[in-house]
Amino acid sequence: NAGVTQTPKFRILKIGQSMTLQCTQDMNHNYMYWYRQDPGMGLKLIYYSVGAGITDKGEVPNGYNVSRSTTEDFPLRLELAAPSQTSVYFCASRDGGNEKLFFGSGTQLSVL
Amino acid sequence: GEDVEQSLFLSVREGDSSVINCTYTDSSSTYLYWYKQEPGAGLQLLTYIFSNMDMKQDQRLTVLLNKKDKHLSLRIADTQTGDSAIYFCAEPGSARQLTFGSGTQLTVLP
């Protein structure tokens, strides 16, 4: 099992550019999450999904979009990148039986 | 909403014990969690405690829970340089969505 896989690991964007952060998991987990991590701020929930076809906003959804067309994949889209979106992004998943999250290794994004 | 608080930094000498503290607000959480993040990596589940317990021991790790004060602590015995990392406390609350603390950066000095 690969677990939760995120790509790319690093990316630099110019202001106004768009990109998609990819996340896939092979554990057949229904629940998937996107977090951003800023220094000293912990993790903030951006979006989450409780199953294919269902997505919900988290604490900080502005400037982001998600889709969940399959159980395995949960891409995060940035449409008009802004410097405030410079952060480390983590995807995570879990099954429905408990709250134990499995995390990907993260994507470090810089918007200049 | 849920709020989870931790101090940001802790330094200890190799071989000493480390104690990382956390306070939370939502008393409906069934479990409370500790995650570890090593440099350049994602978070990994370190240990957890059922809310009906007041202590859980797992090798060098001891988790203490004071439900009345909503206080959770993680003690690492015989701390090693490999324990240097950021430690996050997390609670799910009634919505079963994990809320994380800001993380405690543990530095182990030789």
Side-chain angles (χ1 to χ4, degrees):
Chain A
N1 279 357
V4 179
T5 303
Q6 289 184 240
T7 56
K9 290 194 182 302
F10 303 95
R11 185 72 185 267
I12 298 174
L13 285 181
K14 293 183 180 177
I15 294 172
Q17 286 186 319
S18 62
M19 77 162 293
T20 300
L21 282 67
Q22 302 291 345
C23 175
T24 187
Q25 51 92 8
D26 61 358
M27 297 173 282
N28 201 33
H29 285 169
N30 283 327
Y31 293 74
M32 294 189 75
Y33 302 81
W34 274 105
Y35 290 90
R36 59 177 286 171
Q37 183 182 29
D38 300 304
M41 300 294 290
L43 279 78
K44 301 294 184 188
L45 181 63
I46 306 171
Y47 269 96
Y48 67 99
S49 168
V50 300
I54 305 168
T55 61
D56 270 303
K57 294 178 181 179
E59 187 181 356
V60 290
N62 290 348
Y64 307 94
N65 275 301
V66 292
S67 59
R68 185 92 183 273
S69 56
T70 66
T71 299
E72 295 78 19
D73 300 305
F74 190 42
L76 177 71
R77 178 88 178 156
L78 282 72
E79 288 295 350
L80 289 169
S84 61
Q85 293 177 305
T86 293
S87 189
V88 182
Y89 292 84
F90 288 100
C91 179
S93 72
R94 66 173 176 93
D95 66 25
N98 56 61
E99 301 103 3
K100 296 176 196 173
L101 286 177
F102 293 81
F103 282 82
S105 56
T107 295
Q108 187 162 330
L109 176 68
S110 295
V111 183
L112 305 174
Chain B
E2 298 88 6
D3 193 21
V4 180
E5 295 193 356
Q6 305 175 237
S7 54
L8 288 181
F9 302 100
L10 176 66
S11 291
V12 299
R13 293 277 177 198
E14 194 173 10
D16 288 349
S17 292
S18 308
V19 179
I20 302 171
N21 294 303
C22 168
T23 57
Y24 62 95
T25 56
D26 194 326
S27 57
S28 67
S29 297
T30 308
Y31 290 91
L32 293 136
Y33 298 87
W34 284 103
Y35 281 81
K36 177 182 180 182
Q37 183 183 31
E38 296 182 352
L43 281 70
Q44 285 191 302
L45 180 64
L46 189 62
T47 187
Y48 60 95
I49 186 167
F50 186 52
S51 60
N52 280 354
M53 299 171 65
D54 51 22
M55 185 179 87
K56 177 181 178 181
Q57 188 140 6
D58 183 1
Q59 298 183 322
R60 292 190 297 120
L61 305 178
T62 303
V63 179
L64 295 177
L65 175 60
N66 182 328
K67 205 171 178 184
K68 173 177 165 289
D69 294 339
K70 297 179 188 169
H71 183 268
L72 184 72
S73 68
L74 173 70
R75 179 177 179 269
I76 305 173
D78 186 26
T79 313
Q80 302 297 308
T81 54
D83 295 323
S84 291
I86 304 176
Y87 292 81
F88 292 90
C89 167
E91 64 151 350
S94 56
R96 299 189 67 204
Q97 308 288 6
L98 284 182
T99 297
F100 291 86
S102 55
T104 299
Q105 171 82 59
L106 174 64
T107 301
V108 182
L109 305 170

